[in-house]
Amino acid sequence: MNPTVLLNVFSYVAGLDFTGYSNETQFQPSRAALPRTTFRSGGNTELWGGLRSLTYSQAGLWHAGGSTSVDAEAFNSLGSQTRLHTFGPDEAEGSVAYFWTGGHFQYAAFDAPVGQLAPFRLTGQGTDRFGVVRGKLAASPNEFIDGVATPVVTDSLGPLGSAVQLGAVAADEFLYAAVHLLDDVGAGDDITLTIESDSAANFPSPTVRATLGPLSARGGTWLTPVAGAITDTWWRFVVDDITAATSGEFVIGAAFGVQKG
């Protein structure tokens, strides 16, 4: 197995793409180690997995300005428990993605000597009952042209991003999804997405499993989990409707995952 060189780690937090500001990300899910040692344990410590938890941090180059800046997102969201995060090692559709709802509880900035670029560090924890979902990035908000990340603008109906193969959803599992609108939305503009599944990559007989929207503001949206059993193994987002009162243009990052509730 080849090692992974971290060159294109992506990080979307609510309505801000932190990727171009960050150069360090740490993601640490854990589970409490509960002692279960008895007189039948043969003189060895026995442990049982207890409550799950998540801590994370990201750091990089500080940036201020309007609402779409590191400082505005980090400062204004301190104490919030509802920030949707999507993160992964490679910003390519179909690659692994982790997503969760978390809170920001510590924000540090300017920890550098005179003459150096101003840094930042943002840390937090997972905050809801769903924990971390491991899935795949289905829609990247960026494409790379001559090595330069360029926003992908969505302005028409039809499939969004790429179809991904997640496998079937068992009776004790759920489909999860995360959607990030990563640019300011024009006044009166909104977009509605549906989630479709099928048994093959070309979607010969798609079935609508959920609807998200209409979405009309920059930010993150967590799908209410869709219960199994579902035998289809392929999944995709579809732009079902757009209201274009201003421009009707949207920049979207989105991911899917299947796991137990």
Side-chain angles (χ1 to χ4, degrees), residues 13 25-28 54-58 83 85 100 102-105 122-126:
V13 180
T25 301
Q26 184 183 62
F27 162 73
Q28 189 172 346
L54 164 71
T55 59
Y56 66 91
S57 68
Q58 55 188 18
R83 311 306 284 178
H85 297 68
W100 67 91
H104 299 156
F105 299 107
L122 185 62
T123 61
Q125 296 173 245

Side-chain angles (χ1 to χ4, degrees), residues 81-197:
Q81 299 178 18
T82 58
R83 311 306 284 178
L84 181 62
H85 297 68
T86 301
F87 149 87
D90 185 10
E91 196 176 28
E93 292 173 354
S95 65
V96 65
Y98 302 90
F99 53 97
W100 67 91
T101 298
H104 299 156
F105 299 107
Q106 188 174 34
Y107 170 44
F110 315 128
D111 184 17
V114 63
Q116 299 298 309
L117 294 174
F120 80 91
R121 180 174 294 275
L122 185 62
T123 61
Q125 296 173 245
T127 55
D128 71 11
R129 64 173 297 275
F130 298 112
V132 182
V133 178
R134 184 183 186 276
K136 293 182 179 181
L137 182 66
S140 170
N142 298 291
E143 60 181 346
F144 292 86
I145 301 174
D146 295 330
V148 177
T150 304
V152 175
V153 174
T154 297
D155 58 4
S156 59
L157 306 184
L160 173 70
S162 300
V164 296
Q165 188 173 28
L166 296 175
V169 184
D172 61 347
E173 292 181 325
F174 293 82
L175 171 76
Y176 296 87
V179 173
H180 299 262
L181 262 63
L182 296 170
D183 200 4
D184 285 327
V185 176
D189 289 355
D190 62 54
I191 187 169
T192 299
L193 306 177
T194 57
I195 294 173
E196 294 182 347
S197 68

